[in-house]
PDB file of all heavy atoms in Angstrom:
ATOM      1  N   ASN A 266      -1.753  -5.145  -7.159  1.00  0.00           N
ATOM      2  CA  ASN A 266      -0.582  -5.047  -8.023  1.00  0.00           C
ATOM      3  C   ASN A 266       0.117  -3.704  -7.831  1.00  0.00           C
ATOM      4  O   ASN A 266      -0.543  -2.678  -7.671  1.00  0.00           O
ATOM      5  CB  ASN A 266      -0.971  -5.188  -9.500  1.00  0.00           C
ATOM      6  CG  ASN A 266      -1.610  -6.523  -9.809  1.00  0.00           C
ATOM      7  OD1 ASN A 266      -0.977  -7.556  -9.713  1.00  0.00           O
ATOM      8  ND2 ASN A 266      -2.883  -6.493 -10.156  1.00  0.00           N
ATOM      9  N   TYR A 267       1.431  -3.722  -7.841  1.00  0.00           N
ATOM     10  CA  TYR A 267       2.190  -2.472  -7.831  1.00  0.00           C
ATOM     11  C   TYR A 267       3.563  -2.723  -8.441  1.00  0.00           C
ATOM     12  O   TYR A 267       3.994  -3.878  -8.620  1.00  0.00           O
ATOM     13  CB  TYR A 267       2.299  -1.883  -6.429  1.00  0.00           C
ATOM     14  CG  TYR A 267       3.056  -2.705  -5.421  1.00  0.00           C
ATOM     15  CD1 TYR A 267       4.401  -2.443  -5.145  1.00  0.00           C
ATOM     16  CD2 TYR A 267       2.420  -3.729  -4.706  1.00  0.00           C
ATOM     17  CE1 TYR A 267       5.102  -3.186  -4.204  1.00  0.00           C
ATOM     18  CE2 TYR A 267       3.111  -4.469  -3.763  1.00  0.00           C
ATOM     19  CZ  TYR A 267       4.450  -4.198  -3.515  1.00  0.00           C
ATOM     20  OH  TYR A 267       5.126  -4.935  -2.586  1.00  0.00           O
ATOM     21  N   SER A 268       4.248  -1.639  -8.781  1.00  0.00           N
ATOM     22  CA  SER A 268       5.556  -1.732  -9.430  1.00  0.00           C
ATOM     23  C   SER A 268       6.593  -0.945  -8.646  1.00  0.00           C
ATOM     24  O   SER A 268       6.278   0.038  -7.967  1.00  0.00           O
ATOM     25  CB  SER A 268       5.482  -1.182 -10.860  1.00  0.00           C
ATOM     26  OG  SER A 268       4.644  -1.973 -11.659  1.00  0.00           O
ATOM     27  N   TYR A 269       7.844  -1.372  -8.776  1.00  0.00           N
ATOM     28  CA  TYR A 269       8.973  -0.695  -8.154  1.00  0.00           C
ATOM     29  C   TYR A 269       9.938  -0.253  -9.252  1.00  0.00           C
ATOM     30  O   TYR A 269      10.272  -1.032 -10.155  1.00  0.00           O
ATOM     31  CB  TYR A 269       9.688  -1.632  -7.188  1.00  0.00           C
ATOM     32  CG  TYR A 269      11.059  -1.145  -6.754  1.00  0.00           C
ATOM     33  CD1 TYR A 269      11.180  -0.136  -5.798  1.00  0.00           C
ATOM     34  CD2 TYR A 269      12.213  -1.694  -7.299  1.00  0.00           C
ATOM     35  CE1 TYR A 269      12.433   0.311  -5.400  1.00  0.00           C
ATOM     36  CE2 TYR A 269      13.466  -1.253  -6.897  1.00  0.00           C
ATOM     37  CZ  TYR A 269      13.575  -0.256  -5.954  1.00  0.00           C
ATOM     38  OH  TYR A 269      14.807   0.192  -5.570  1.00  0.00           O
ATOM     39  N   LEU A 270      10.384   1.006  -9.184  1.00  0.00           N
ATOM     40  CA  LEU A 270      11.333   1.555 -10.156  1.00  0.00           C
ATOM     41  C   LEU A 270      12.493   2.201  -9.406  1.00  0.00           C
ATOM     42  O   LEU A 270      12.298   2.837  -8.367  1.00  0.00           O
ATOM     43  CB  LEU A 270      10.655   2.613 -11.035  1.00  0.00           C
ATOM     44  CG  LEU A 270       9.567   2.144 -11.993  1.00  0.00           C
ATOM     45  CD1 LEU A 270       8.774   3.350 -12.497  1.00  0.00           C
ATOM     46  CD2 LEU A 270      10.175   1.406 -13.167  1.00  0.00           C
ATOM     47  N   ASP A 271      13.698   2.044  -9.966  1.00  0.00           N
ATOM     48  CA  ASP A 271      14.872   2.653  -9.344  1.00  0.00           C
ATOM     49  C   ASP A 271      15.848   3.082 -10.435  1.00  0.00           C
ATOM     50  O   ASP A 271      16.155   2.301 -11.347  1.00  0.00           O
ATOM     51  CB  ASP A 271      15.544   1.662  -8.395  1.00  0.00           C
ATOM     52  CG  ASP A 271      16.797   2.251  -7.761  1.00  0.00           C
ATOM     53  OD1 ASP A 271      16.699   3.325  -7.152  1.00  0.00           O
ATOM     54  OD2 ASP A 271      17.874   1.632  -7.892  1.00  0.00           O
ATOM     55  N   VAL A 272      16.313   4.328 -10.355  1.00  0.00           N
ATOM     56  CA  VAL A 272      17.315   4.858 -11.293  1.00  0.00           C
ATOM     57  C   VAL A 272      18.365   5.605 -10.477  1.00  0.00           C
ATOM     58  O   VAL A 272      18.025   6.504  -9.697  1.00  0.00           O
ATOM     59  CB  VAL A 272      16.693   5.820 -12.328  1.00  0.00           C
ATOM     60  CG1 VAL A 272      17.774   6.359 -13.264  1.00  0.00           C
ATOM     61  CG2 VAL A 272      15.602   5.117 -13.124  1.00  0.00           C
ATOM     62  N   ALA A 273      19.631   5.221 -10.639  1.00  0.00           N
ATOM     63  CA  ALA A 273      20.723   5.883  -9.916  1.00  0.00           C
ATOM     64  C   ALA A 273      21.859   6.185 -10.891  1.00  0.00           C
ATOM     65  O   ALA A 273      22.169   5.371 -11.776  1.00  0.00           O
ATOM     66  CB  ALA A 273      21.223   5.006  -8.778  1.00  0.00           C
ATOM     67  N   TYR A 274      22.499   7.345 -10.706  1.00  0.00           N
ATOM     68  CA  TYR A 274      23.598   7.756 -11.585  1.00  0.00           C
ATOM     69  C   TYR A 274      24.743   8.351 -10.766  1.00  0.00           C
ATOM     70  O   TYR A 274      24.520   9.054  -9.774  1.00  0.00           O
ATOM     71  CB  TYR A 274      23.123   8.801 -12.599  1.00  0.00           C
ATOM     72  CG  TYR A 274      24.269   9.451 -13.353  1.00  0.00           C
ATOM     73  CD1 TYR A 274      24.907   8.780 -14.386  1.00  0.00           C
ATOM     74  CD2 TYR A 274      24.729  10.722 -12.999  1.00  0.00           C
ATOM     75  CE1 TYR A 274      25.979   9.356 -15.073  1.00  0.00           C
ATOM     76  CE2 TYR A 274      25.797  11.308 -13.671  1.00  0.00           C
ATOM     77  CZ  TYR A 274      26.416  10.617 -14.701  1.00  0.00           C
ATOM     78  OH  TYR A 274      27.479  11.178 -15.353  1.00  0.00           O
ATOM     79  N   SER A 275      25.965   8.067 -11.207  1.00  0.00           N
ATOM     80  CA  SER A 275      27.145   8.662 -10.600  1.00  0.00           C
ATOM     81  C   SER A 275      28.264   8.742 -11.641  1.00  0.00           C
ATOM     82  O   SER A 275      28.378   7.875 -12.504  1.00  0.00           O
ATOM     83  CB  SER A 275      27.622   7.829  -9.410  1.00  0.00           C
ATOM     84  OG  SER A 275      28.819   8.371  -8.868  1.00  0.00           O
ATOM     85  N   LYS A 276      29.048   9.771 -11.530  1.00  0.00           N
ATOM     86  CA  LYS A 276      30.216   9.894 -12.407  1.00  0.00           C
ATOM     87  C   LYS A 276      31.506   9.559 -11.649  1.00  0.00           C
ATOM     88  O   LYS A 276      32.607   9.660 -12.211  1.00  0.00           O
ATOM     89  CB  LYS A 276      30.312  11.307 -12.978  1.00  0.00           C
ATOM     90  CG  LYS A 276      30.530  12.394 -11.933  1.00  0.00           C
ATOM     91  CD  LYS A 276      30.655  13.760 -12.577  1.00  0.00           C
ATOM     92  CE  LYS A 276      30.933  14.835 -11.512  1.00  0.00           C
ATOM     93  NZ  LYS A 276      31.105  16.185 -12.108  1.00  0.00           N
ATOM     94  N   ASP A 277      31.347   9.142 -10.368  1.00  0.00           N
ATOM     95  CA  ASP A 277      32.508   8.880  -9.521  1.00  0.00           C
ATOM     96  C   ASP A 277      32.718   7.384  -9.327  1.00  0.00           C
ATOM     97  O   ASP A 277      31.765   6.597  -9.328  1.00  0.00           O
ATOM     98  CB  ASP A 277      32.330   9.562  -8.164  1.00  0.00           C
ATOM     99  CG  ASP A 277      32.176  11.068  -8.299  1.00  0.00           C
ATOM    100  OD1 ASP A 277      32.988  11.672  -9.019  1.00  0.00           O
ATOM    101  OD2 ASP A 277      31.235  11.630  -7.689  1.00  0.00           O
TER     102      ASP A 277
END
Side-chain angles (χ1 to χ4, degrees):
N266 299 295
Y267 64 97
S268 295
Y269 166 77
L270 293 165
D271 178 55
V272 179
Y274 169 77
S275 177
K276 63 178 182 178
D277 300 312

